[in-house]
Amino acid sequence: MGNAATITSVPSQADVAARVEAILGPMSLADKIGQLVQIGGADFMPGPKPEDVIRGGGAGSVLWLNDTKKFNELQKIAVEESPSKIPLLFALDVIHGYRTIFPVPLAMAASWDPDTAEQAQAVAAKEARAAGLHWTFGPMLDIARDVRWGRIVEGAGEDPVLGAAMAAAQVRGFQGPYPGAPDHVIACAKHFAGYGAADGGRDYDPVFLPEAQLRNVYFPPFKAAVDAGVGTFMSAYMDLNNVPAAGNPWLLREVLRGEWGFRGFVISDAFAVGNLVIQHFARDNRDAAFRALSAGLDMDMASGAYLENLAGLVEDGTLDEAIIDAAVRPVLTLKVQMGLFEHPYVDEDLLDQVVALPEHRDASRQAAQRSMVLLRNEGGLLPLSKDLKHVAVIGPVADSMEATEGSWMVFGHQPAAVTVLEGIRAKLPDARVDYAPGPEIRRDYPSFFEDFEPGKKKPAQTPEAAEAAFQTAVETAQGADLVIMVLGETDLMAGEAASRGSIDLPGRQEELLKTVVALGKPVVLVLLNGRPLSINWAAEHVPAILEAWEPGTEGGHAVADILFGDANPGGKLPVTFPRSGGHAPLYYARTLTHQPEDHFMYRSRYWDSPTTPLYPFGFGLSYTTFEIGNLKLSASQMKVGESLTVTADVTNTGSVAGDEVVQLYIHQRFGSDSRPMRELKGFERVPLQPGETKTVTFELGPDQLTYWSSSLGQWVQDAAPFDVWVGSDSQATLHAEFEVVA
Ligand code: GLC
């Protein structure tokens, strides 16, 4: 069986369209409907076997299957036995790596380096394609401002400008230069739209967002994905302003196709078409199928509603077959672009060669280094000396491959991460490195992934065993010269269906940390987590804190590289760290109130805690120091529609090389609407040798200053005065101002 050949010439859109019409013409209604159906390929799926559904022409795509040999078997049935002989698209959630796992997307956003994300997704695509996959359900583009929401781990954080940059980069990484390019897969912008604003941070809960918030904050990453040529979209599960995204024509037809000109196809989330009945939106599956397809939802993921109802809807005249044709065309277009008609099969020996490429793990290690954020380094405790003789590594995730590779592992993935403990031991081959996990941490309510993935479900530790583990950990720390605490969350504590009411360190981790710190030894805290955590006590009492997120297959090496100075941390927070989950949603780009919090009478919005963030958006330290100055604007005044240039110099004033992420924020002082007190409008990660200075340049014009006005119900660029800040985080103080005049 041949594999996907290197396509030498990219067929023109006209050629592809003609090819699609030639395929569509002779297809029966049943054949067409089959192309709008994606079925689960996993053995545990209920219902008829995939082989039988495919043989009957009832499916055009398969998900939840990760088996190269099985892909070829099912493909053979499709192309040789099904009525239409049309090849299948194989899809899977390759969110941050297929076999070589990269840092979770929130971590890659913390690199503030789109190239890091692009390279990561290019490696993921190469491995996935070699496995026989054609299509990934990524990138996830949901803006997240509520840290209780578990899926914050899968996106790029709270800001639309950073989110849009990461969106475009990931689409380029996954898809390559054109849809169907060799060694690449089709990407899927998900979950359209507003999913991260679920009430209370509770996954799947309803979302109520005014149009201005959707258009100014939640849409930009999706629009960036369309502009980058993303092949598919996935609609979100939840009700958006009382209309489920899967049946929302304003989202799927008016905005996505009408305004943005998206020409690919939209797939539902898992079972979401059938779920319209559960959500009390649709009367029954027939109503659900009719309203979803009519709203612009082309493919039904796993619910069966399309397969069961679309033919009847056409035959009784309720649904025009032209609507079916319009949904089938983009599906066939991608199959033609992927070259599946010429090369439907994958070389079953290819994957082992590809995943063994050393540059894949090197890329993962570098991405992990660039994603980590140094939150504290009192007294320059870090970097540590490699001459340390006796170190204790303590914590329940210190030696956990799952916590190191993190949330959203590919279906059937076998964990293979280098843990933090292993990374430290590799870095200190001659030292004594003791380890104790302390009491285990686990969810109070199990994750449905524990049912999905055999072996994930483990019996709980008994209280006696937990207490014994606690004491052992303290004794282990007692004997060492320095303690590295590795605390945070397990891989199932963030991600889908992983919302939390609190964002404290789970279990007895903080108690263990306090007990170890009380021993009076130097303590370093490494965090492995998928969301901000309210580490208020640690922020005051632990001298060195490194946010390592869920760093992927090479995570342990990358953590050790940074702890021991072989890499200088340059990451910045892509999301605000609130002091409590009860403060969520807390984000920097808020409008000013009539009683600004710096007013002496209103030091805090809560009488029981400060409302300032524990760590602000854009924050991150380095082993060196930087100075940002010489802020200049090319003009102090310009007309609506014109642009000006902002420049600033950034100098490495320290003794080691390092990267600084220079960030530009604006504030429009009045306008058609109240405007956020700060908005990120530009950023650049700048590598600098000691003593080196570089000039960074940003542009401010209609693209940066236009917004959707609630009061006017349209896009507007106001004539108004503006503040500009340039600095190293969202609390930058280097200031200038300009005015836009009519
Ligand atoms: C899940 C997720 C979605 C994923 C899909 C297929 O429920 O919401 O992100 O792509 O199902 O696994």
Side-chain angles (χ1 to χ4, degrees):
M1 297 179 181
N3 64 40
T6 305
I7 300 172
T8 48
S9 66
V10 184
S12 73
Q13 278 191 0
D15 292 349
V16 171
R19 183 92 187 275
V20 164
E21 288 314 309
I23 297 165
L24 182 64
M27 287 173 72
S28 71
L29 176 60
D31 293 342
K32 294 174 188 176
I33 291 168
Q35 292 303 306
L36 305 183
V37 175
Q38 184 180 67
I39 57 172
D43 296 340
F44 61 79
M45 292 294 294
K49 288 172 64 63
E51 290 81 349
D52 300 335
V53 177
I54 292 162
R55 186 170 291 109
S61 176
V62 177
L63 85 158
W64 298 327
L65 179 64
N66 184 12
D67 178 334
T68 303
K69 192 168 172 46
K70 186 82 181 284
F71 287 147
N72 280 338
E73 288 166 9
L74 294 180
Q75 193 68 289
K76 189 167 170 30
I77 294 171
V79 300
E80 293 186 1
E81 301 179 45
S82 78
S84 67
K85 308 285 187 290
I86 292 173
L88 298 163
L89 280 171
F90 293 111
L92 208 55
D93 295 283
V94 181
I95 306 298
H96 55 107
Y98 174 78
R99 182 72 60 77
T100 307
I101 306 301
F102 282 79
V104 287
L106 186 64
M108 287 203 273
S111 74
W112 287 61
D113 176 18
D115 288 347
T116 293
E118 180 172 346
Q119 287 155 22
Q121 302 304 23
V123 169
K126 186 176 172 86
E127 293 185 353
R129 190 70 181 274
L133 288 161
H134 307 120
W135 179 19
T136 179
F137 297 130
M140 188 273 213
L141 304 180
D142 300 299
I143 293 291
R145 296 179 157 183
D146 192 323
V147 293
R148 296 167 293 184
W149 189 53
R151 302 197 77 165
I152 192 170
V153 67
E154 296 173 51
E158 72 182 65
D159 184 83
V161 166
L162 181 60
M166 288 298 162
Q170 293 185 79
V171 169
R172 290 194 301 268
F174 278 132
Q175 295 192 161
Y178 53 85
D183 297 335
H184 288 85
V185 293
I186 298 302
C188 181
K190 74 182 185 182
H191 308 78
F192 195 50
Y195 185 21
D199 277 354
R202 293 181 298 274
D203 203 4
Y204 311 136
D205 262 38
V207 167
F208 296 94
L209 285 170
E211 185 166 2
Q213 200 70 344
L214 278 166
R215 290 183 179 277
N216 294 328
V217 178
Y218 290 82
F219 280 177
F222 289 99
K223 175 67 167 59
V226 172
D227 295 345
V230 71
T232 64
F233 259 61
M234 182 187 294
S235 56
Y237 275 126
M238 82 293 140
D239 285 8
L240 172 61
N241 302 326
N242 290 329
V243 181
N248 192 318
W250 177 73
L251 268 186
L252 304 183
R253 289 207 185 282
E254 257 186 75
V255 174
L256 183 57
R257 271 96 169 199
E259 292 180 26
W260 296 353
F262 175 64
R263 297 164 53 87
F265 69 88
V266 181
I267 187 167
S268 74
D269 204 333
F271 311 108
V273 176
N275 290 351
L276 295 177
V277 181
I278 299 172
Q279 286 166 253
H280 291 173
F281 178 72
R283 180 185 322 117
D284 52 27
N285 261 2
R286 183 180 184 281
D287 184 35
F290 173 66
R291 292 165 79 182
L293 187 66
S294 305
L297 184 62
D298 303 299
M299 190 179 282
D300 172 7
M301 182 192 289
S303 93
Y306 279 15
L307 189 58
E308 290 152 22
N309 295 286
L310 290 186
L313 284 161
V314 171
E315 278 142 17
D316 72 13
T318 309
L319 186 68
D320 185 335
E321 187 164 352
I323 301 262
I324 303 261
D325 292 350
V328 172
R329 282 193 182 91
V331 176
L332 296 179
T333 298
L334 278 185
K335 292 184 176 184
V336 168
Q337 288 176 320
M338 289 293 286
L340 295 184
F341 289 88
E342 291 74 29
H343 303 285
Y345 304 110
V346 64
D347 175 349
E348 294 176 19
D349 301 329
L350 189 58
L351 179 61
D352 289 346
Q353 301 158 31
V354 168
V355 297
L357 294 171
E359 58 265 31
H360 287 192
R361 291 185 82 125
D362 293 347
S364 176
R365 183 167 181 166
Q366 193 190 37
Q369 289 170 358
R370 295 176 71 77
S371 301
M372 296 182 189
V373 182
L374 182 60
L375 296 176
R376 198 173 193 231
N377 191 20
E378 282 306 295
L381 177 58
L382 295 178
L384 301 172
S385 160
K386 293 178 184 173
D387 298 332
L388 278 167
K389 291 289 174 268
H390 184 177
V391 173
V393 177
I394 309 283
V397 290
D399 197 32
S400 161
M401 291 195 287
E402 291 81 357
T404 307
E405 289 192 327
S407 168
W408 264 120
M409 280 303 97
V410 162
F411 192 69
H413 172 76
Q414 296 309 315
V418 174
T419 65
V420 174
L421 173 65
E422 289 166 340
I424 291 167
R425 282 184 166 152
K427 196 65 84 174
L428 302 178
D430 306 324
R432 177 180 164 181
V433 180
D434 294 339
Y435 161 63
E440 73 162 5
I441 54 175
R442 62 188 295 125
R443 292 174 43 136
D444 299 326
Y445 297 91
S447 159
F448 71 73
F449 285 105
E450 292 172 84
D451 301 320
F452 244 157
E453 303 264 356
K456 278 258 185 207
K457 205 187 280 279
K458 297 189 177 66
Q461 188 177 49
T462 64
E464 297 74 21
E467 186 50 39
F470 190 100
Q471 295 313 324
T472 303
V474 176
E475 287 153 18
T476 304
Q478 179 72 47
D481 303 331
L482 177 139
V483 184
I484 299 172
M485 300 292 293
V486 187
L487 307 175
E489 296 178 315
T490 68
D491 58 316
L492 295 178
M493 289 180 173
E496 184 172 0
S499 295
R500 296 179 62 188
S502 151
I503 57 166
D504 295 341
L505 284 166
R508 298 176 60 186
Q509 294 183 97
E510 183 154 289
E511 182 193 349
L512 179 59
L513 177 63
K514 288 178 175 175
T515 307
V516 167
V517 167
L519 300 176
K521 297 170 183 300
V523 175
V524 174
L525 171 59
V526 175
L527 291 172
L528 296 187
N529 49 306
R531 60 155 57 75
L533 296 175
S534 45
I535 51 165
N536 305 327
W537 186 86
E540 297 292 322
H541 299 89
V542 179
I545 304 174
L546 178 67
E547 174 56 80
W549 311 106
E550 293 170 346
T553 303
E554 287 289 302
H557 285 320
V559 167
D561 292 341
I562 286 185
L563 293 183
F564 291 91
D566 291 337
N568 183 358
K572 301 281 184 177
L573 296 181
V575 61
T576 301
F577 271 50
R579 297 172 187 276
S580 158
H583 293 179
L586 183 68
Y587 48 94
Y588 83 92
R590 307 194 310 276
T591 53
L592 211 47
T593 68
H594 76 292
Q595 292 298 1
E597 282 159 290
D598 57 3
H599 185 282
F600 75 95
M601 291 170 64
Y602 298 93
R603 279 184 293 279
S604 174
R605 289 283 183 277
Y606 304 110
W607 61 260
D608 62 351
S609 59
T611 12
T612 50
L614 179 59
Y615 299 109
F617 174 81
F619 175 77
L621 301 175
S622 170
Y623 292 152
T624 185
T625 51
F626 299 98
E627 197 170 284
I628 298 173
N630 195 21
L631 175 58
K632 287 185 185 147
L633 274 58
S634 60
S636 59
Q637 188 180 85
M638 64 176 169
K639 291 193 173 64
V640 169
E642 292 179 339
S643 298
L644 63 79
T645 303
V646 181
T647 59
D649 294 342
V650 54
T651 303
N652 180 342
T653 51
S655 57
V656 293
D659 293 4
E660 175 62 292
V661 179
V662 183
Q663 302 158 43
L664 177 141
Y665 296 85
I666 65 165
H667 170 54
Q668 178 177 326
R669 294 184 188 163
F670 62 80
S672 311
D673 284 16
S674 303
R675 301 302 298 135
M677 60 181 110
R678 293 214 178 188
E679 287 178 281
L680 179 74
K681 290 299 178 184
F683 65 88
E684 184 178 342
R685 180 164 177 154
V686 184
L688 291 165
Q689 292 302 319
E692 188 180 10
T693 297
K694 285 179 184 169
T695 300
V696 290
T697 302
F698 303 104
E699 181 166 324
L700 289 177
D703 287 350
Q704 290 73 35
L705 305 181
T706 299
Y707 66 94
W708 181 269
S709 160
S710 283
S711 58
L712 301 177
Q714 64 183 45
W715 293 106
V716 67
Q717 185 191 352
D718 292 319
F722 286 78
D723 295 293
V724 180
W725 295 273
V726 173
S728 58
D729 64 42
S730 57
Q731 298 181 342
T733 53
L734 182 62
H735 175 266
E737 53 196 46
F738 67 91
E739 182 162 16
V740 175
V741 297

